[in-house]
Amino acid sequence: MKKYKIPEATINRLTVYSRCLEQEEIKGIETISSAEIARKIGVTPAQVRKDLAYFGEFGTRGVGYNVKDLKKHIMKILGLNSKWNVAIIGAGNLGSALFHYKGFQERGFYVAAIFDNNPEKIGKKMGDKVILDFRQDINNIIKELRISLAIVAVPADSAQEVVDKLVNAGIKGIVNFAPRSLSVPSDVILRRVDLAAQLEILTFNLQSKSQIYGK
Amino acid sequence: MKKYKIPEATINRLTVYSRCLEQEEIKGIETISSAEIARKIGVTPAQVRKDLAYFGEFGTRGVGYNVKDLKKHIMKILGLNSKWNVAIIGAGNLGSALFHYKGFQERGFYVAAIFDNNPEKIGKKMGDKVILDFRQDINNIIKELRISLAIVAVPADSAQEVVDKLVNAGIKGIVNFAPRSLSVPSDVILRRVDLAAQLEILTFNLQSKSQIYGK
DNA sequence: TAGATTGTTAATCGATTAACAATC
DNA sequence: TAGATTGTTAATCGATTAACAATC
């Protein structure tokens, strides 16, 4: 059996395809072609078909894809056929924002616990949850609540320490919002999201329009 | 003059390099090699040198790069040598989180205004700002406060309408947090950030470890 | 000079796309 | 059958990397 390495960009697009199919499903559309999907999200039809072909044959030649079925297939590919429990570390501005953000729930992620290590915050309520003591409770709670993913929303300086403790507690997938490169063992998956960087890429592009780099 | 197209990935890495250099600067390190930068952030030294070479010659052969100077150069390349005024559209959970997030300020982005179109929110205070009426005030405020960037944190259904009005008001750079593909004229730059998708990529990777796609 | 590290070229690697046979 | 659209191959395109001359 030949094993393919699937491009990171393909996975990114799968999440976009699934969002697009969700909309079509709501509209009551039953069948969609690669060309229509492509147009809606701004890629080529070949790209759509190639991306899907990594995982199977989901369409009908001459007809297209069944919206409901394809959505289900993609959700399964992304691992969204089951629920995932998530912990948020850091009850500051960003942490509390992510805690209240409804977009996670919609996609099958349940924020099961929120942690901080500030004594003034520990014990206070956030929504329907009590803010837990990161240092004291993290190991037990992760086991008890079967939490497998963590979102790190702590200051950059403490991010590595937090991630080390999460790894130690058995977490295998981490999204890091602290603007710092962190290291984890090879069996743990770490993603970094830098919110300010999103704006920086905009300003680069706006700037470089009036400027030509070259030689 | 030959014009290079600079890879998107290069710009992404520039933001990471600048963060890394910031840290080194704080530590008091004066000189750094491409190999050290590469190791710290997990890329190859050739990658670092190639990325920088798109924009100029910033190092000294046999020596390395001056940390302070290189950081300044990269900040300039990213357009961060001047301040940028930003508007946040949507005063819900995510919008208010982004409003309070300190990471923008640190990189030279000033959140100058926050808008909503819910009458119950308009007029209320958020931090030191009053929530403004998106439909009524957007054009004037964007001109008055010289706002050039916008962050869209509204529900998916109203995102396209909001973006249209922003484009109409003269905004040229938009970061969209609503999970929907939107369309803008070609002179406007739109970036999409899907927070749930970050978790989905994790779950895909965790899943696919125990699963082999291929044929 | 010897050692080190950049800047740059050419080779490699991988992702995208055009094209078309398969087939509904 | 004719028309349409998939799944897949091969060609193209672009990004990464190895290697090395330049030079501090």
Side-chain angles (χ1 to χ4, degrees):
Chain A
M1 191 195 240
K2 202 173 155 194
K3 197 170 138 195
Y4 286 97
K5 209 199 126 242
I6 293 152
E8 167 94 11
T10 289
I11 311 308
N12 269 299
R13 281 189 299 265
L14 286 183
T15 69
V16 181
Y17 299 155
S18 72
R19 296 280 191 186
C20 170
L21 292 166
E22 210 161 30
Q23 263 183 271
E24 297 306 297
E25 196 182 349
I26 290 166
K27 280 195 229 156
I29 310 273
E30 287 185 7
T31 305
I32 195 166
S33 67
S34 59
E36 282 173 280
I37 298 173
R39 191 182 50 74
K40 276 180 195 294
I41 68 172
V43 300
T44 64
Q47 184 74 271
V48 174
R49 295 201 299 276
K50 179 74 170 172
D51 284 338
L52 297 173
Y54 283 111
F55 304 99
E57 304 190 2
F58 306 123
T60 309
R61 290 166 198 231
V63 178
Y65 302 89
N66 178 287
V67 172
K68 266 203 176 111
D69 285 353
L70 183 56
K71 196 195 139 206
K72 255 185 226 157
H73 279 299
I74 295 178
M75 296 300 265
K76 175 124 190 276
I77 292 164
L78 291 172
L80 303 182
N81 51 336
S82 57
K83 301 271 167 197
W84 294 83
N85 289 332
V86 181
I88 292 177
I89 321 302
N93 287 313
L94 190 59
S96 79
L98 296 169
F99 179 87
H100 289 108
Y101 181 58
K102 293 194 185 69
F104 295 134
Q105 208 103 338
E106 280 166 18
R107 301 285 282 184
F109 298 104
Y110 175 65
V111 178
I114 180 155
F115 293 88
D116 206 296
N117 57 22
N118 179 345
E120 283 178 26
K121 285 181 181 162
I122 295 165
K124 293 242 166 72
K125 274 215 143 185
M126 179 170 286
D128 60 334
K129 297 278 184 299
V130 173
I131 298 170
L132 300 172
D133 185 338
F134 179 68
R135 287 191 183 123
Q136 189 145 35
D137 303 333
I138 188 72
N139 285 329
N140 296 336
I141 296 290
I142 278 180
K143 259 177 225 142
E144 271 173 39
L145 302 185
R146 297 161 194 276
I147 291 170
S148 36
L149 305 175
I151 294 173
V152 173
V154 302
D157 283 334
S158 41
Q160 182 66 60
E161 185 202 330
V162 163
V163 162
D164 290 343
K165 287 206 169 73
L166 288 171
V167 169
N168 190 256
I171 291 284
K172 293 288 180 236
I174 300 170
V175 178
N176 170 36
F177 280 87
R180 175 88 37 114
S181 294
L182 305 174
S183 57
V184 292
S186 60
D187 66 324
V188 176
I189 297 161
L190 176 76
R191 284 183 66 78
R192 183 184 193 230
V193 180
D194 187 331
L195 295 175
Q198 302 301 325
L199 288 176
E200 294 172 21
I201 295 164
L202 279 193
T203 56
F204 168 79
N205 284 314
L206 289 173
Q207 248 221 161
S208 66
K209 273 190 176 174
S210 50
Q211 211 170 314
I212 291 144
Y213 294 104
K215 58 150 86 165
Chain B
M1 190 194 238
K2 203 175 156 193
K3 197 171 136 193
Y4 285 97
K5 212 200 122 240
I6 293 153
E8 166 94 11
T10 289
I11 311 307
N12 268 299
R13 282 189 299 265
L14 285 183
T15 70
V16 181
Y17 300 155
S18 72
R19 297 280 191 186
C20 171
L21 291 166
E22 209 160 30
Q23 262 184 271
E24 297 305 297
E25 196 182 347
I26 290 165
K27 279 195 226 155
I29 310 273
E30 287 184 5
T31 304
I32 196 166
S33 66
S34 58
E36 281 172 281
I37 297 173
R39 190 182 50 74
K40 276 179 195 295
I41 69 172
V43 299
T44 64
Q47 184 74 269
V48 174
R49 296 201 299 277
K50 180 75 171 170
D51 284 339
L52 296 173
Y54 283 110
F55 303 99
E57 303 191 3
F58 306 121
T60 308
R61 290 167 197 230
V63 178
Y65 301 90
N66 179 287
V67 171
K68 266 203 177 108
D69 285 353
L70 184 57
K71 197 197 139 203
K72 256 185 226 154
H73 279 299
I74 296 178
M75 296 299 266
K76 175 124 190 279
I77 292 164
L78 292 172
L80 303 181
N81 50 337
S82 57
K83 301 273 165 190
W84 294 82
N85 289 332
V86 180
I88 293 178
I89 321 303
N93 287 314
L94 190 58
S96 78
L98 295 169
F99 179 86
H100 289 108
Y101 181 58
K102 291 191 187 71
F104 294 134
Q105 206 103 339
E106 281 165 19
R107 302 285 281 184
F109 298 104
Y110 175 65
V111 179
I114 179 155
F115 293 88
D116 207 296
N117 57 21
N118 180 344
E120 283 179 26
K121 283 182 183 163
I122 295 165
K124 292 244 166 73
K125 274 215 141 188
M126 180 170 285
D128 60 335
K129 298 277 185 296
V130 173
I131 299 170
L132 300 173
D133 185 337
F134 179 67
R135 285 188 186 129
Q136 189 146 38
D137 303 334
I138 188 70
N139 285 329
N140 295 336
I141 295 290
I142 278 181
K143 260 178 223 144
E144 272 173 37
L145 301 185
R146 296 161 193 277
I147 291 170
S148 36
L149 305 174
I151 294 173
V152 174
V154 303
D157 284 334
S158 40
Q160 182 66 59
E161 184 202 331
V162 163
V163 162
D164 291 344
K165 288 207 168 71
L166 288 171
V167 168
N168 191 255
I171 290 285
K172 293 288 181 232
I174 300 171
V175 178
N176 170 36
F177 280 88
R180 175 91 33 117
S181 294
L182 306 175
S183 56
V184 290
S186 61
D187 65 325
V188 176
I189 298 162
L190 176 77
R191 283 183 68 77
R192 182 182 195 231
V193 180
D194 187 331
L195 294 173
Q198 302 302 324
L199 288 176
E200 293 172 21
I201 294 164
L202 279 193
T203 56
F204 168 80
N205 284 313
L206 289 172
Q207 249 219 160
S208 67
K209 273 189 176 175
S210 49
Q211 212 170 312
I212 292 146
Y213 295 106
K215 57 149 85 166

